[in-house]
C-alpha cells in the first residue's frame, strides 16, 4: 500500500512537472533559429576585389596612411549569378563608391580590431549598387593598414 502511494505521488510529481514545463519554449524563436541556420548553410563567398587606398591626411603633415584589403562577401546561393553579373557590369562604379566610402572613415574606425565600420560601409556600397541587396556579410582574406 505504501509503495503504491509513493508511486502515485511520484507519478503526480512527474506529470505536474511535465505539464508546467510544456510551455517553457518560444516556438517562433526556434523557427527563426532554424531558418537562420538554413540560410547560413546556403551562403557562398563572392570575391569582391583587392583594394589599395591612400587615405587623406591634413595638409601640414607629410605622413601617408594606406589601407590594403582583399574583401569577400557572402550571398545566398540563389543570388550568386545575379551578383556576379552585376559585379562584372558595375565593377568600376562599385570600386569608385567603395574608394569614397573608405576615404571618409576616421582612422579610429579603420584600426578597430573587428573592422565593423569598414564592413558596414562595404556592405552598404555593394547593396546600394546591386539589385535586391544580396550581400549578407563581409569578410577579409587579408587586411593591412599602414600609417607611415
Amino acid at each position: 500500500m505504501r509503495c503504491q502511494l509513493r508511486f502515485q505521488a511520484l507519478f503526480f510529481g512527474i506529470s505536474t512537472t511535465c505539464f508546467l514545463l510544456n510551455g517553457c519554449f518560444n516556438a517562433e524563436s526556434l523557427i527563426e533559429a532554424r531558418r537562420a541556420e538554413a540560410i547560413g548553410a546556403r551562403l557562398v563567398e563572392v570575391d569582391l576585389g583587392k583594394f589599395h587606398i591612400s587615405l587623406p591626411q591634413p595638409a601640414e603633415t607629410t605622413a601617408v596612411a594606406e589601407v590594403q584589403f582583399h574583401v569577400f562577401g557572402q550571398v545566398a546561393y540563389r543570388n550568386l549569378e545575379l551578383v556576379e553579373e552585376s559585379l562584372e557590369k558595375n565593377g568600376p562604379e562599385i570600386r569608385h563608391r567603395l574608394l569614397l566610402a573608405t576615404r571618409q572613415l576616421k582612422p579610429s574606425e579603420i584600426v578597430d580590431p573587428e573592422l565593423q565600420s569598414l564592413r558596414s560601409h562595404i556592405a552598404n556600397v555593394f547593396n546600394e549598387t546591386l539589385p535586391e541587396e544580396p550581400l549578407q556579410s563581409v569578410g577579409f582574406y587579408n587586411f593591412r593598414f599602414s600609417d607611415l
Side-chain angles (χ1 to χ4, degrees):
M1 183 76 171
R2 211 170 194 200
C3 188
Q4 188 179 13
L5 286 175
R6 282 187 181 168
F7 179 74
Q8 287 177 346
L10 180 63
F11 179 75
F12 178 74
I14 291 173
S15 62
T16 304
T17 303
C18 288
F19 177 75
L20 293 175
L21 292 178
N22 191 22
C24 291
F25 65 91
N26 185 345
E28 288 183 27
S29 66
L30 289 174
I31 291 170
E32 284 302 315
R34 286 296 233 189
R35 249 188 222 134
E37 185 178 308
I39 289 172
R42 290 183 258 146
L43 292 179
V44 293
E45 286 183 7
V46 176
D47 188 350
L48 301 177
K50 294 180 181 179
F51 297 87
H52 183 123
I53 302 169
S54 296
L55 301 175
Q57 296 291 321
E60 62 272 2
T61 184
T62 60
V64 176
E66 297 177 335
V67 63
Q68 296 178 17
F69 54 87
H70 188 178
V71 65
F72 68 88
Q74 289 188 320
V75 298
Y77 183 75
R78 67 179 180 274
N79 293 332
L80 180 61
E81 190 175 320
L82 173 70
V83 169
E84 288 176 341
E85 288 174 3
S86 297
L87 286 173
E88 190 174 318
K89 178 180 163 188
N90 301 325
E93 179 187 356
I94 292 171
R95 290 187 71 79
H96 175 72
R97 286 181 177 207
L98 186 61
L99 171 76
L100 293 177
T102 305
R103 294 182 116 217
Q104 291 175 357
L105 292 173
K106 299 177 183 125
S108 62
E109 294 173 317
I110 292 176
V111 296
D112 170 34
E114 297 292 318
L115 300 171
Q116 288 302 325
S117 185
L118 182 59
R119 288 177 198 265
S120 66
H121 276 75
I122 291 170
N124 289 340
V125 165
F126 279 93
N127 281 333
E128 287 172 0
T129 309
L130 300 174
E132 301 178 25
E133 297 187 359
L135 202 61
Q136 302 290 322
S137 65
V138 172
F140 297 95
Y141 293 120
N142 61 40
F143 178 86
R144 186 172 74 110
F145 173 69
S146 58
D147 194 10
L148 306 172

